[in-house]
Amino acid sequence: MAPTKRKGGHASLQGKKPVNTTKVKRTKATQNPGRIRNKMKRSEMYGKYLLEKKALKRQTRIQRDKEAEALGEDAPKRSTPRTLDNTRESEATAVKPEDEEILADEAEDEFAPYFSDEIRPKILLTTRPCPSAELFHFISDLMRFFPQLYYYPRKSYSVKEICTFGSNRKFTHLMVLSEKSKVCNGMIISHLRPSTAANGLAGPTAFFKVSNVIPSTDVPNNGAATNHVPELNLHGFTTRLGHRAGRFLGSLFPHNAQFQGRQVATFHNQRDFIFVRHHRYVFEEGKVVDKENGKKKTKARLQELGPRFTMKMRWLQEGTFDTQFGEYEWFHKRKEMDTTRRKFHL
């Protein structure tokens, strides 16, 4: 005789949500479960703690929006969140907009001929001795990013000898890349052209720590860069040192932007980290129709071209590269200068 099938059974076998028949209270992770010694239980409770924290934050936001909608114009203004940027310590060398003294100094410094388009930059690029093959992918991206950039193999020459070589061949800048674990981690930039502002001497020279290098092929939805000279966007350089560093980086580009290329090179300083980006702005036909002429409105968007990397200045030196006898304009001493998280130098 065939066995009869039992009706009902466990709720989970019927596709129903099981009922807590034991009347045991489920523990809520109301506090950070770092006190739990068992690793598996601590991990489980921490996951619940994050989910509950996220749900509570969402409910608070929804409730706040409902109250603001009910009050209308009488709703209180939202408080500005405290960040490291808006609570930064005031710097004595902060530059005010349209400062006549600063404008007069910048009109006569080493980089004034580049910003007035009297001189076009010509950059010599080399690497550390025996570079890896991976570094050349970054070099090819830099050659598409900087106009008039030429690569020369390092071989066995010192940086001082390369400075002399570049100066004799009318190069205006020298760029030397270093690497660690086949990834670029440093960049030396030296100004080779003598100027009257520096008493007929070349310079300055700066060293930047490079991090978060993403080649153009790994940038999501990236486009292909063209040979047009990009527009230059220098943002967030607010101190005297920041202005000098920003103008130094700005002197690497010709200042006769070809607007038909619609390309923009950006150096954005935030908390002394300089974020380097390369974009193209694209105009597209939008979905919204203009009521006056009946045509669809044009909208603009940015398409990133790459590469993408971050720089942080470690020192600025007078003259060309000379670690033995060179004089430093500024040297980053972390323990002495970074006394608080809200103090920034650029």
Side-chain angles (χ1 to χ4, degrees):
M1 187 175 178
T4 58
K5 295 183 178 179
R6 289 183 60 189
K7 293 183 179 180
H10 197 271
S12 62
L13 300 178
Q14 300 177 12
K16 299 179 181 179
K17 187 176 181 181
V19 182
N20 187 7
T21 56
T22 58
K23 306 299 181 181
V24 177
K25 294 183 178 180
R26 296 179 180 176
T27 56
K28 292 185 177 181
T30 54
Q31 58 181 356
N32 196 325
R35 55 186 173 75
I36 300 175
R37 294 186 177 183
N38 187 286
K39 185 177 180 181
M40 295 182 66
K41 187 64 177 177
R42 183 172 65 244
S43 178
E44 177 188 351
M45 296 300 293
Y46 186 66
K48 291 181 180 180
Y49 167 76
L50 293 179
L51 289 175
E52 291 175 6
K53 187 178 178 182
K54 185 177 180 181
L56 180 62
K57 187 176 180 181
R58 183 173 179 272
Q59 290 175 2
T60 306
R61 186 178 70 249
I62 293 173
Q63 183 66 23
R64 186 174 61 242
D65 292 342
K66 286 182 179 179
E67 292 176 358
E69 186 177 355
L71 293 173
E73 295 181 355
D74 298 332
K77 293 183 179 180
R78 292 186 178 180
S79 59
T80 305
R82 289 173 56 86
T83 62
L84 291 178
D85 293 320
N86 59 24
T87 58
R88 66 178 293 178
E89 294 183 0
S90 59
E91 181 69 27
T93 60
V95 177
K96 297 180 181 180
E98 304 301 327
D99 191 325
E100 295 183 358
E101 181 182 354
I102 302 299
L103 294 176
D105 290 344
E106 292 179 351
E108 299 177 354
D109 65 359
E110 305 95 322
F111 313 119
Y114 300 100
F115 282 82
S116 61
D117 201 26
E118 297 176 11
I119 300 173
R120 303 281 172 82
K122 184 181 177 184
I123 309 170
L124 188 156
L125 174 66
T126 189
T127 63
R128 70 165 196 174
C130 302
S132 67
E134 297 295 327
L135 189 61
F136 286 92
H137 297 296
F138 184 55
I139 291 173
S140 63
D141 284 339
L142 291 179
M143 295 182 74
R144 286 188 290 268
F145 183 57
F146 293 102
Q148 297 295 315
L149 186 143
Y150 302 90
Y151 169 72
Y152 282 77
R154 174 69 178 267
K155 297 184 178 179
S156 59
Y157 299 105
S158 64
V159 178
K160 284 187 177 182
E161 292 173 332
I162 297 174
C163 288
T164 306
F165 171 84
S167 181
N168 293 337
R169 283 158 180 76
K170 306 300 181 183
F171 283 97
T172 60
H173 296 79
L174 169 66
M175 189 179 295
V176 183
L177 303 179
S178 59
E179 65 174 340
K180 183 179 181 181
S181 301
K182 300 183 180 180
V183 178
C184 180
N185 70 335
M187 180 185 296
I188 296 173
I189 304 177
S190 183
H191 182 234
L192 303 179
R193 181 181 174 273
S195 62
T196 54
N199 299 323
L201 300 176
T205 301
F207 173 71
F208 296 90
K209 181 183 176 182
V210 179
S211 60
N212 301 329
V213 177
I214 300 178
S216 57
T217 53
D218 294 344
V219 174
N221 303 319
N222 69 305
T226 59
N227 293 328
H228 296 92
V229 177
E231 302 173 53
L232 184 63
N233 180 19
L234 300 173
H235 184 265
F237 299 93
T238 58
T239 64
R240 290 293 297 263
L241 178 65
H243 271 237
R244 187 151 175 78
R247 288 177 64 82
F248 193 7
L249 294 172
S251 67
L252 297 170
F253 289 85
H255 288 262
N256 60 331
Q258 298 172 343
F259 299 102
Q260 63 270 26
R262 307 191 310 278
Q263 296 184 157
V264 184
T266 303
F267 293 89
H268 173 73
N269 173 51
Q270 185 174 5
R271 304 177 190 176
D272 288 351
F273 288 94
I274 304 171
F275 299 93
V276 184
R277 299 293 184 267
H278 192 197
H279 290 97
R280 175 189 292 119
Y281 48 94
V282 182
F283 298 105
E284 295 178 335
E285 189 180 64
K287 296 181 180 179
V288 181
V289 179
D290 194 350
K291 296 180 180 179
E292 296 180 359
N293 52 21
K295 296 181 179 179
K296 293 183 178 180
K297 293 184 179 180
T298 303
K299 65 177 184 179
R301 67 177 179 87
L302 289 177
Q303 179 188 33
E304 191 167 357
L305 307 178
R308 182 192 298 179
F309 58 98
T310 307
M311 306 166 68
K312 188 169 187 180
M313 191 166 73
R314 291 302 189 189
W315 49 259
L316 183 68
Q317 188 184 71
E318 294 181 357
T320 55
F321 180 82
D322 189 355
T323 54
Q324 188 174 4
F325 302 107
E327 295 185 4
Y328 291 94
E329 294 184 28
W330 180 81
F331 195 97
H332 183 237
K333 297 179 180 179
R334 184 173 57 85
K335 293 184 178 180
E336 297 178 13
M337 296 181 175
D338 298 344
T339 53
T340 65
R341 295 180 62 199
R342 296 191 297 273
K343 185 173 180 60
F344 308 113
H345 308 286
L346 299 184

